[in-house]
């Protein structure tokens, strides 16, 4: 400010004076390549000429955006809860009405517009607990251990936040798989925790190897205090489904090495490969007996965003915490209270996911039909993706056993690597950016998830509708051939 | 772990090894008194005898829980968006259908189940920008400066997060009013920033005094780096509405002292007192001319949770940022992308709030009727609360000019102060806890918001329905008299 009218005030908040941990955050799933895809869409809509007619976003697990239809029953109940006048509408099925009635009864003033308890609506947490008990063959679940969340991301960040402490060599370290889902690296960067990488084994279908966990942990102990181990099962971006044996080994490792376990299980219904089955960490832990079930600290996460429902926009989710110290739990409850409550429509949706129509109820048959159709379509697309990509010389792709992604390895010619490096770009970012500009297909480079040095990948969702997926895969194939030729 | 079956593993995560900044977080609005209220409700429902028939929660601005009805139009549109089959239902008004149609067209796959852009749905941000322009008499607003949020809290925490840096005497300090809304102190504690208190002047209806800002700032400069100034207008918990002159002074102060301004304006429609009017910081800033409007950095916050709509459960909100450095803005956009997007139903609701039925549209008359009824009822209750409380000897209460709370000062007898201190309790916590146990009324002690040493207050919402509010006020009156007598 100045008396002579000159305006020369420097900004209070600049790139040099902002929070340095925020600057370290990276999130490739919505990174530069997606920003360019949005620009290209705008340019297309403004009539600009491109070598493609539309942008296909295969970068993010956003099922409805790719044309997947919501489950009718879920949406009927949400409409009833939003506008309870509809409870008098005879076209709505009775089971949808009774579910809506029950949810509204648990809301202050019978309105989804009221805040809920910070931990989530009591009756929803009870339903979640019963769902977990059914899923896990009767292993007991206490609703007090359930925290409803704003999507799974919110729960994961909250748990990591509790775990971070110390400075220098005493700083909390958290083990995450490489490749990983970049929420983990982003949250750890923001919290100033140390990221400890353990590598999944691409040669054996992205399996988790205890020897590799041990290597990563032993090395990390030299410069930080490793306190937690994160597992994503089924895997994102890698699509593997862990065997029961592997989960037991991980639990034994966590117990031996005193690590807090975080199990990201948001794809628990997305298992496609024959012989594969989802095993929850909770169930395996309890079946290993009291030596483990009474001691190993575990947080597991679920969401409304994936599986057969794909309701990402509602930001629903829950976490279950096992063997958490009582005082810490009180701190957790306090911490979540500051943000008041997770979105109530998302809580309602979570309730429907864990308490869907039952046999004999009017909506049951249609619910099963819709769920089955979505899951079988995904299973087919998982197979198709693997098959087509593996026909391309220079692309090799593990089976998509579960989740929603393929993470194929790509061979990038030396000349292309050099051109990328000269531009200061990761070679797979260079590859994906070029693919986007030439074909309109938006993928995420493997470097955004982490990969072994000298290897290159991309993540591609299997979500586009069958005909579009077929076109997309053919375009990827053609692009890869052209790219390889161009740089050979 | 042990071979002999003994289980003696110590927990990984204990109160001593958890994140120390989380331990410092306090949030009185959902603190111990509310936990006790929930217990009492459960005890009542189990048939336990109490000196009251029901718990009345006047601790939190949760309008629907207190019986306020949602706006019909908003809920119709939300039902249509949730279950688009209803677009064929002839009982829904055409304007609700066209709004729903427009919102769905902006969603991927025409579904609220899709992720939106991280910054929020484009068309919603455009509607917000037009709303701000109308509200501010034509001052321009760029949709690129709008970020949709998960309630206002999310936006406030995100902005504070950007601002925090430095260590020791270079640590970021943030000025907040005392009394304050405890989200601010909680977020600052969690981020490890320095809280700088400036006191509002209770004697002049909680006015903000520039001399006091200067005092607080000058003192703080000795031990930290003050970088931001937070204002809540209309005030929470204090209910004052700032004059235009005061806002100009604050802006001049922020410019002179190089402070980033944060204006919490979630109660912008809640102005009751004659002669009072809401002035947005944005409008005043722009009317002060380019010397200010081109330089002062401002973030302002709004929400779907307050005003006449009271839709807290949907967690909708937005923030507008003015004069933010471009590189910092890119970092902000990156940061919000990690959490994917704010809840889409909350975004839809925010859109309706900024773009309600217009004259000539079928829902207009009913919308105006409902909005007016809610706001006049609140104005009446504001008046009633002030009047009744001021009849009590030992309670004195400023006019509730705006927002949703009364924050009266209470005289606590010496003997009661001593008993509280002996128990290690704040005297006003002791008072409020006793009131809860004896009357079932749940208030929040002033110590949860901050107050001048030696003064005591409580915060009480004006939200209960008129008859219940009358009973509540009488019970408070009787309790205060009994309490005073008991400890005199």
């Amino acid at each position: 400010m100045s008396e002579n009218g000159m305006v020369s005030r420097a900004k209070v908040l600049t790139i040099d004076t902002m929070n340095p941990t925020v600057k370290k955050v990276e999130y490739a799933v919505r990174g530069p390549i997606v920003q360019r895809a949005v620009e290209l869409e705008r340019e297309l809509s403004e009539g600009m000429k491109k070598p493609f007619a539309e942008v296909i976003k295969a970068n993010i697990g956003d099922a409805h955006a790719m044309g997947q239809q919501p489950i009718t029953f879920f949406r009927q109940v949400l409409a009833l809860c939003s506008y309870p006048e509809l409870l008098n509408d005879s076209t709505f099925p009775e089971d949808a009405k009774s579910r809506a009635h029950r949810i509204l009864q648990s809301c202050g003033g019978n309105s989804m517009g009221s805040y809920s308890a910070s931990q989530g609506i009591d009756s929803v947490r009870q339903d979640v607990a019963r769902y977990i008990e059914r899923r896990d063959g009767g292993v007991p679940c206490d609703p007090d251990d359930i925290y409803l969340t704003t999507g799974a991301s919110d729960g994961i960040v909250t748990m990591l936040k509790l775990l971070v402490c110390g400075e220098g060599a005493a700083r909390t370290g958290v083990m995450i798989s490489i490749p990983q889902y970049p929420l983990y690296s982003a949250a750890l960067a923001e919290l100033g925790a140390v990221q400890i990488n353990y590598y999944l084994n691409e040669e054996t279908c992205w399996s988790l190897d205890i020897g590799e966990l041990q290597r990563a942990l032993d090395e990390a102990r030299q410069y930080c205090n490793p306190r937690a181990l994160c597992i994503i099962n089924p895997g994102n971006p890698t699509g593997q489904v862990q065997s029961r044996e592997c989960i037991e080994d991980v639990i034994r490792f966590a117990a031996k090495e005193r690590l807090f376990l975080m199990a990201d299980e948001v794809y628990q219904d997305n298992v496609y490969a024959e012989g594969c089955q989802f095993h929850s960490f909770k169930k395996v832990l309890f079946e290993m007996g009291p030596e483990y079930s009474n001691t190993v600290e575990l947080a597991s996460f679920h969401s409304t965003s994936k599986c057969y429902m794909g309701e990402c926009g509602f930001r629903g989710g829950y976490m279950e915490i096992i063997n958490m110290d009582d005082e810490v739990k009180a701190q957790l409850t306090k911490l979540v209270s500051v943000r008041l409550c997770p979105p109530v429509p998302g809580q309602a949706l979570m309730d429907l996911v864990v308490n869907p129509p039952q046999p004999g109820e009017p909506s049951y048959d249609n619910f099963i039909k819709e769920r089955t159709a979505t899951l079988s379509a995904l299973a087919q697309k998982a197979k198709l993706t693997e098959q087509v990509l593996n026909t391309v010389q220079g692309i090799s792709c593990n089976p998509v056993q579960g989740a929603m992604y393929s993470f194929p390895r790509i061979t990038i010619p030396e000349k292309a690597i050099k051109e990328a490096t000269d531009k200061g770009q990761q070679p797979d970012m260079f590859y994906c950016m070029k693919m986007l500009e030439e074909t309109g297909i938006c993928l995420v480079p493997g470097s955004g998830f982490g990969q072994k040095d000298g290897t290159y990948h991309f993540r591609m969702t299997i979500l586009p509708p069958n005909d579009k997926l077929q076109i997309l895969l053919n375009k990827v194939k053609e692009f890869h051939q052209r790219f390889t030729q161009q740089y050979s």
Side-chain angles (χ1 to χ4, degrees), chain A:
Chain A
M1 220 197 75
S2 61
E3 299 298 324
N4 61 11
M6 290 265 296
V7 175
S8 59
R9 238 176 339 253
K11 302 246 182 239
V12 176
L13 187 58
T14 67
I15 195 81
D16 297 322
T17 64
M18 67 173 285
N19 189 335
T21 65
V22 170
K23 281 191 271 186
K24 289 188 198 135
V25 168
E26 285 181 34
Y27 187 67
V29 175
R30 296 204 153 188
I33 205 145
V34 183
Q35 283 166 28
R36 180 62 189 143
V38 172
E39 271 174 35
L40 284 171
E41 276 184 326
R42 210 199 44 238
E43 292 174 10
L44 275 176
S45 76
E46 287 165 357
M48 215 179 280
K49 265 198 120 169
K50 298 284 166 196
F52 46 86
E54 65 167 331
V55 172
I56 305 179
K57 287 192 194 142
N59 61 298
I60 189 167
D62 192 1
H64 292 197
M66 288 288 108
Q68 185 181 306
Q69 293 304 302
I71 297 288
T72 303
F73 179 80
F74 292 178
R75 295 308 197 89
Q76 286 174 329
V77 177
L78 287 169
L80 290 160
C81 289
S82 300
Y83 187 50
E85 284 286 307
L86 291 170
L87 289 165
N88 305 315
D89 184 330
S90 59
T91 61
F92 280 81
E94 284 309 314
D95 49 354
K97 288 186 185 176
S98 70
R99 270 318 182 292
H101 186 73
R102 180 158 182 271
I103 291 168
L104 289 173
Q105 287 253 304
S106 310
C107 293
N110 299 332
S111 168
M112 283 209 298
S114 298
Y115 291 120
S116 76
S118 301
Q119 198 171 343
I121 297 171
D122 282 357
S123 68
V124 178
R125 292 190 294 111
Q126 284 157 15
D127 288 349
V128 168
R130 281 196 290 263
Y131 160 81
I132 292 174
E133 287 179 350
R134 282 196 311 276
R135 183 196 68 186
D136 292 344
V139 172
C141 176
D142 184 344
D144 268 358
D145 292 338
I146 305 298
Y147 287 74
L148 299 181
T149 57
T150 307
S153 303
D154 169 46
I156 292 167
V157 172
T158 301
M159 271 312 308
L160 289 173
K161 198 180 277 174
L162 288 182
L163 279 157
V164 173
C165 72
E167 291 298 329
R171 195 82 189 139
T172 292
V174 176
M175 305 184 73
I176 65 172
S177 60
I178 297 293
Q180 55 121 10
Y181 174 57
L183 168 70
Y184 290 91
S185 51
L188 294 174
E190 199 186 313
L191 292 165
V194 179
Q195 172 181 328
I196 306 170
N197 296 335
Y198 64 89
Y199 289 83
L200 301 175
N201 192 343
E202 183 164 15
E203 281 63 45
T204 51
C205 199
W206 299 114
S207 70
L208 191 161
D209 178 56
I210 299 296
E212 167 61 10
L213 282 183
Q214 192 73 58
R215 176 207 62 78
L217 183 73
D218 292 346
E219 281 183 28
R221 286 226 159 101
Q222 297 170 29
Y223 56 86
C224 71
N225 178 18
R227 303 185 70 204
L229 168 56
C230 301
I231 306 280
I232 313 175
N233 177 49
N236 175 7
T238 37
Q240 82 285 11
V241 176
Q242 288 185 340
S243 69
R244 197 200 149 87
E245 197 184 2
C246 172
I247 295 172
E248 284 187 17
D249 289 345
V250 169
I251 292 172
R252 254 180 236 114
F253 178 81
K256 175 169 77 82
E257 301 291 351
R258 293 196 61 238
L259 296 169
F260 192 108
L261 268 177
M262 291 177 56
D264 178 341
E265 301 179 323
V266 300
Y267 298 98
Q268 56 191 261
D269 292 332
N270 298 108
V271 176
Y272 316 118
E274 251 178 71
C276 284
Q277 200 190 329
F278 170 72
H279 303 277
S280 80
F281 267 76
K282 161 88 179 290
K283 177 170 195 257
V284 176
L285 176 65
F286 275 69
E287 290 175 354
M288 286 168 74
E291 183 182 344
Y292 296 95
S293 66
N294 288 344
T295 61
V296 174
E297 294 151 83
L298 168 69
S300 65
F301 306 91
H302 196 17
S303 156
T304 58
S305 302
K306 309 299 169 189
C307 300
Y308 62 91
M309 49 281 183
E311 296 275 14
C312 316
F314 281 81
R315 314 307 298 125
Y318 74 75
M319 60 179 173
E320 182 185 15
I321 50 163
I322 309 287
N323 290 322
M324 182 179 270
D325 175 86
D326 285 340
E327 286 178 294
V328 176
K329 199 176 162 206
Q331 292 286 327
L332 168 61
T333 304
K334 179 193 73 177
L335 182 63
V336 297
S337 78
V338 178
R339 302 290 186 91
L340 297 162
C341 68
V344 174
Q347 295 188 47
L349 192 52
M350 193 77 247
D351 190 51
L352 300 169
V353 170
V354 296
N355 185 20
Q358 298 303 308
E361 289 187 325
S363 303
Y364 180 72
D365 290 346
N366 193 50
F367 167 71
I368 294 294
K369 202 183 89 194
E370 291 178 348
R371 186 179 68 175
T372 309
T374 299
L375 289 175
S376 358
L378 286 171
Q380 271 175 26
K381 293 191 278 190
K383 199 82 205 153
L384 177 72
T385 304
E386 177 200 344
Q387 281 170 344
V388 175
L389 290 178
N390 278 328
T391 65
V392 188
Q393 176 115 35
I395 297 187
S396 79
C397 175
N398 270 317
V400 182
Q401 296 175 333
M404 295 179 166
Y405 316 98
S406 167
F407 196 70
R409 182 158 171 183
I410 49 177
T411 306
I412 300 187
E414 280 306 322
K415 258 204 236 170
I417 295 175
K418 185 168 182 316
E419 190 170 324
T421 316
D422 288 349
K423 282 186 163 179
Q425 260 184 348
Q426 293 286 343
D428 49 12
M429 171 64 92
F430 175 77
Y431 175 96
C432 287
M433 201 56 106
K434 215 166 159 60
M435 181 168 349
L436 175 63
E437 296 288 348
E438 292 182 17
T439 67
I441 295 169
C442 179
L443 307 176
V444 190
S447 45
F449 304 90
Q451 53 200 351
K452 277 208 172 132
D453 277 350
T455 71
Y456 304 106
H457 302 78
F458 59 74
R459 187 183 85 163
M460 181 193 130
T461 73
I462 58 166
L463 292 173
N466 218 53
D467 50 340
K468 216 178 241 186
L469 182 64
Q470 187 76 63
I471 296 171
L472 185 153
L473 289 166
N474 286 336
K475 281 185 166 195
V476 170
K477 183 174 182 166
E478 285 162 24
F479 169 80
H480 188 84
Q481 289 164 340
R482 205 163 54 237
F483 181 89
T484 306
Q485 208 160 26
Q486 189 183 345
Y487 288 99
S488 289

